[in-house]
Amino acid sequence: ITKLKITFDNDDARTETVTLLPERVLKQNVTFSKPQSCETITLEPIEWTEGSKPVLGVDNLWLWVNHPAERAERVVPLLNIGAVVQYPLDKGSVVLNQLNIPGKETNPENADKRANIVGNLLRNLGCAFAPEKLLLPGVNLVSVPIPLGEKCNAYLTSDKGFLPGQPDLSHFPVGEQRFDGLRYDIRNFRTSPLPAAITLDAKIKEVSGVPVDSTADALFFLHTFHVTRQPKDGETPTVFEYLVKYADGTTATVAVRLGIDIGMLNNTGDVKAPSAASIAWQAAYPKAKDRTAAVYALRWVNPKPTLKITSFGIRWPEKEAGQYGVPLLFGASVAHEKK
């Protein structure tokens, strides 16, 4: 790059054009004609030398900002990329972690790197990891599928009564599958007409007794939600629950909130991942190309990892029984941390 156009706050009236030294110069300093106060900076290469590689890029960029002297006492960057910042406060401090950790990484190695940064940050702060361990699919977990078997009560094909008026899920993968690095066993309805998911309705208010018979650091639920009534903006209602039963007779309730722990089955445009779950599978409907079906994976960290889980079930919550739609549970998986 030999000339670079720099625009502040997307305002064409506030631009600088700078001349850069020939390529192979590793570091160059550029001073603007006057200081600029802005929220965004846009860099646009406008001239470059001819070469065999047409790709242009800047590997590293430093922006020097003139802050008031007292700011250094209030704001302490902990990384050179600014993603982790410390704010001294009285005798302690607040640490802001802006590192984005998506539910699914395009490059699996990045998940491990991000987990190491967050893990080291928490350790340095003296934070306890129990019960919320850093349990990451594809990184430090071994999974064993939990077949739903005869507990299934919902067919996925329209000829067997899938959700009336909706495109069916005949294209959903069945049998032994791996989603987001975890193993699931989806009941195979292609060899014979069998229900392949668990659902709830006005008559079926609870399905219990899915056998687990194992300890677990975490359980993963492979599920989705057919929305029939949208909640109000900003609302994240609990639309159903999982009830986990232990060998000592105690139970744990897993509240599933729409938009947080589960997303919509039917989507137009891009599928939006829930904030606490990942998109495990998505595909356009074969007969409705303008809509995309999506299934999500919810991780529940077990607060009693040494106590055997005997079974789990799915049920309506007392106050929200079916008023927003119906759930579909396709499978579950027991996960243990790699030792």
Side-chain angles (χ1 to χ4, degrees):
I1 302 173
T2 54
K3 279 192 177 181
L4 193 66
K5 180 181 177 183
I6 303 172
T7 305
F8 303 94
D9 284 338
N10 296 316
D11 184 356
D12 290 336
R14 298 172 59 202
T15 62
E16 297 261 2
T17 300
V18 298
T19 300
L20 301 180
L21 299 175
E23 57 183 338
R24 298 181 184 275
V25 177
L26 295 181
K27 185 176 181 179
Q28 303 182 48
N29 294 322
V30 172
T31 302
F32 303 138
S33 61
K34 63 179 180 180
Q36 296 282 352
S37 176
C38 62
E39 293 185 355
T40 65
I41 297 177
T42 303
L43 308 176
E44 180 185 356
I46 54 176
E47 289 185 11
W48 51 87
T49 58
E50 295 296 329
S52 59
K53 296 182 179 180
V55 178
L56 301 173
V58 177
D59 288 332
N60 294 285
L61 177 70
W62 291 265
L63 295 174
W64 297 95
V65 181
N66 292 324
H67 288 300
E70 63 271 15
R71 185 179 187 275
E73 300 176 0
R74 297 183 291 107
V75 182
V76 183
L78 301 182
L79 295 177
N80 61 1
I81 59 174
V84 182
V85 183
Q86 179 184 13
Y87 298 89
L89 183 67
D90 194 21
K91 296 181 180 180
S93 62
V94 173
V95 175
L96 173 63
N97 175 22
Q98 301 178 97
L99 186 66
N100 181 34
I101 303 182
K104 186 175 183 179
E105 291 276 8
T106 303
N107 182 358
E109 292 183 0
N110 287 341
D112 201 10
K113 294 176 182 177
R114 295 176 197 264
N116 286 337
I117 293 175
V118 176
N120 288 330
L121 174 65
L122 293 175
R123 277 189 288 271
N124 292 341
L125 289 172
C127 297
F129 280 82
E132 285 288 340
K133 298 180 180 179
L134 285 173
L135 303 175
L136 302 175
V139 177
N140 65 338
L141 288 181
V142 177
S143 62
V144 178
I146 304 172
L148 302 184
E150 294 183 356
K151 296 296 180 178
C152 292
N153 58 8
Y155 293 92
L156 302 187
T157 57
S158 55
D159 62 326
K160 290 294 182 180
F162 185 69
L163 299 169
Q166 300 297 320
D168 67 19
L169 285 174
S170 56
H171 60 312
F172 183 66
V174 295
E176 284 271 356
Q177 299 292 332
R178 187 178 289 272
F179 299 106
D180 270 1
L182 292 163
R183 295 168 56 208
Y184 296 94
D185 186 1
I186 318 301
R187 200 177 193 200
N188 192 345
F189 59 83
R190 294 200 172 99
T191 56
S192 58
L194 295 171
I198 295 177
T199 191
L200 301 174
D201 57 27
K203 295 181 179 179
I204 305 173
K205 298 182 178 181
E206 181 175 2
V207 176
S208 60
V210 177
V212 179
D213 196 31
S214 173
T215 59
D217 288 316
L219 291 181
F220 284 78
F221 300 99
L222 188 69
H223 59 196
T224 191
F225 195 77
H226 171 55
V227 176
T228 57
R229 174 189 161 208
Q230 289 283 358
K232 296 179 181 178
D233 288 344
E235 287 186 347
T236 53
T238 296
V239 288
F240 66 96
E241 297 172 341
Y242 294 112
L243 184 66
V244 179
K245 295 186 177 182
Y246 295 97
D248 65 351
T250 58
T251 61
T253 301
V254 184
V256 181
R257 298 156 296 176
L258 185 60
I260 297 180
D261 309 300
I262 199 169
M264 297 191 301
L265 167 63
N266 290 321
N267 300 269
T268 55
D270 294 334
V271 178
K272 183 179 180 181
S275 57
S278 63
I279 301 171
W281 173 86
Q282 59 178 313
Y285 289 103
K287 296 182 179 180
K289 299 292 187 180
D290 60 327
R291 287 193 285 173
T292 300
V295 174
Y296 310 86
L298 171 65
R299 180 193 66 178
W300 175 69
V301 178
N302 183 12
K304 302 176 182 180
T306 60
L307 186 58
K308 182 179 289 187
I309 297 174
T310 57
S311 65
F312 77 88
I314 179 175
R315 66 185 185 185
W316 291 126
E318 292 183 2
K319 297 181 180 180
E320 308 285 358
Q323 63 174 294
Y324 292 103
V326 295
L328 287 167
L329 173 66
F330 304 95
S333 188
V334 166
H336 292 95
E337 185 179 12
K338 289 181 182 178
K339 302 301 182 180

